[in-house]
Amino acid sequence: MKKLLSFIFAIALILATVPVASALNYNGFVYIENDDGTVTINGYTDFFSEEVYIPKAINDKPVVAITGQAFKQKTSIRTVNIPETVTSIGAYSFYGCTKLFSVVMGTGVRTIGDHAFNGCVALSGINVRNVEAIGEFAFYNCNKMTELNCGTALKTIGKRAFWKCESLNFIKFSTTLEVIGEYAFSDCKALTSLKLPDSLKQIGTSAFSGCTGLEALTFGTGELAIGMYAFENCTALLEVTIPQNITSIGRYAFACRDAQSTKFTHLVKITCNLGSAGVDYSMANGAPVYIIELDREIASFGDVNGDGVTDTNDARRLLRIASGIETSTDSELLLMGDLNGNGIIDTMDAVVILRRASKIA
């Protein structure tokens, strides 16, 4: 027994010598003093305050971060003022603040963490100013939000960041935006138009799926890859122009289907040039396509014999031309039959038609 007590006493002495970061309190703000002379707020003890003014400094040390779920589920808070000294808003910082309707964000904030404002159902709008990255689920289910101004520095929007923001009807994207994550704006049903910036490089899977009010979509001039189902069930979107700078379009990106069905239909008409990703998408997914160079609708692209359907007869003719058995100087035939956009009729064009005729994706 004496040996056991001696062992416990020794352990206690060891633990007593280990430095432990202690949380301090300033007017209800629980904070930690960092080694670099700054302060991080990681808690708030006032459960009844409606207005929160985060201090610029505590004990002459600048407040640079909000973290540790500091204000999570503080349901009394209605307004928050964040000073310009703060550079990051951590994960779950304001999660579940159901009465929070106004956030005045300082110009210093660069990152908004995962779930930072998730479930802030009263939040009506946000101006992220100099923010460079918005995390996953950051504003999920903020269904009273009507406007999003992305400022001038935003580069990435995380997956499901604005999912189910059903009242969001205006977005001004930054000219620096590069990535929109999967499901980022899914089910934002009040959106009626989108103008995407030239800087955008990637639209994730289902990024704008279920945006049933979307009627107009304008792409920028930079190289852009569009993910699968990106605009699925955007039922008001009846026509979209695919510029040459679109490098790829994922499966059923512009398709529609019932919730309980696996069958896809296409309400949207694809307008594009030959040899573009728009043509590839239309061929692979059975979407109606309008070829700009021909200035007329092509109901069945690849219909080189003009009988109204794309079938093995068209493939047979292309093979005859490709092998030299048949010659043609018809420029429209070249446009209609050059499915891979390499400037000639070859066997690969016939293969594409055969795959389509046999319904091979």
Side-chain angles (χ1 to χ4, degrees):
M1 184 66 178
K2 287 183 178 181
K3 288 184 178 181
L4 178 61
L5 290 174
S6 297
F7 177 75
I8 294 174
F9 181 70
I11 294 296
L13 285 176
I14 293 172
L15 291 175
T17 62
V18 176
V20 178
S22 58
L24 306 170
N25 194 298
Y26 173 82
N27 292 340
F29 295 100
V30 179
Y31 69 96
I32 294 174
E33 294 184 352
N34 304 313
D35 292 338
D36 61 358
T38 62
V39 167
T40 295
I41 291 176
N42 64 356
Y44 191 58
T45 60
D46 189 339
F47 287 89
F48 303 101
S49 178
E50 295 185 358
E51 298 181 355
V52 175
Y53 290 85
I54 295 171
K56 292 182 180 180
I58 297 176
N59 297 331
D60 295 324
K61 296 180 179 181
V63 176
V64 297
I66 303 169
T67 187
Q69 306 178 24
F71 300 91
K72 182 179 178 181
Q73 294 179 331
K74 299 295 191 296
T75 56
S76 64
I77 298 176
R78 296 174 59 83
T79 64
V80 171
N81 284 265
I82 301 172
E84 62 271 16
T85 57
V86 173
T87 60
S88 67
I89 299 174
Y92 293 91
S93 290
F94 296 92
Y95 176 93
C97 292
T98 54
K99 292 183 180 178
L100 178 62
F101 71 86
S102 174
V103 177
V104 179
M105 193 173 298
T107 57
V109 177
R110 295 293 183 268
T111 59
I112 297 176
D114 298 347
H115 299 272
F117 294 91
N118 184 338
C120 294
V121 293
L123 189 62
S124 59
I126 194 76
N127 185 331
V128 294
R129 299 192 187 187
N130 296 326
V131 171
E132 298 175 359
I134 296 176
E136 299 176 1
F137 293 88
F139 295 91
Y140 167 62
N141 203 29
C142 292
N143 53 32
K144 292 291 180 64
M145 183 182 291
T146 59
E147 295 186 8
L148 170 64
N149 189 327
C150 290
T152 59
L154 188 64
K155 293 182 179 180
T156 61
I157 298 175
K159 70 178 182 181
R160 302 180 191 265
F162 295 89
W163 185 26
K164 293 186 181 297
C165 292
E166 296 184 353
S167 299
L168 185 62
N169 57 36
F170 174 79
I171 301 175
K172 184 179 180 180
F173 288 116
S174 64
T175 57
T176 55
L177 184 65
E178 297 181 357
V179 177
I180 297 176
E182 61 185 59
Y183 291 91
F185 294 93
S186 182
D187 294 329
C188 292
K189 299 178 181 180
L191 276 177
T192 58
S193 65
L194 279 175
K195 185 176 181 180
L196 301 173
D198 299 342
S199 57
L200 190 62
K201 297 178 180 179
Q202 180 182 341
I203 298 177
T205 299
S206 301
F208 295 94
S209 62
C211 294
T212 53
L214 185 62
E215 298 176 349
L217 173 61
T218 304
F219 293 102
T221 59
E223 291 189 356
L224 172 64
I226 302 173
M228 297 186 300
Y229 316 111
F231 296 91
E232 181 192 3
N233 283 348
C234 293
T235 51
L237 188 64
L238 301 181
E239 184 171 350
V240 61
T241 298
I242 305 295
Q244 292 292 98
N245 54 283
I246 304 298
T247 59
S248 63
I249 305 174
R251 290 188 66 194
Y252 301 120
F254 296 97
C256 295
R257 62 172 170 171
D258 295 330
Q260 305 301 321
S261 174
T262 58
K263 183 178 180 181
F264 289 87
T265 59
H266 276 84
L267 303 177
V268 65
K269 180 173 70 176
I270 305 296
T271 299
C272 59
N273 291 326
L274 284 163
S276 70
V279 172
D280 295 338
Y281 174 80
S282 299
M283 289 291 296
N285 296 274
V289 61
Y290 183 90
I291 306 301
I292 297 173
E293 291 99 329
L294 298 181
D295 197 30
R296 67 179 176 83
E297 181 115 24
I298 300 177
S300 187
F301 188 70
D303 177 22
V304 295
N305 63 8
D307 63 359
V309 295
T310 300
D311 55 21
T312 55
N313 291 324
D314 300 299
R316 187 178 299 111
R317 186 178 183 193
L318 289 185
L319 287 172
R320 290 172 61 86
I321 295 172
S323 62
I325 297 174
E326 178 182 339
T327 59
S328 175
T329 58
D330 187 341
S331 60
E332 184 168 307
L333 172 63
L334 177 61
L335 291 174
M336 291 286 288
D338 180 22
L339 302 183
N340 59 11
N342 63 357
I344 60 172
I345 298 294
D346 57 22
T347 55
M348 291 308 301
D349 298 313
V351 169
V352 172
I353 288 181
L354 286 171
R355 288 174 63 86
R356 183 172 186 180
S358 58
K359 301 187 184 305
I360 299 175

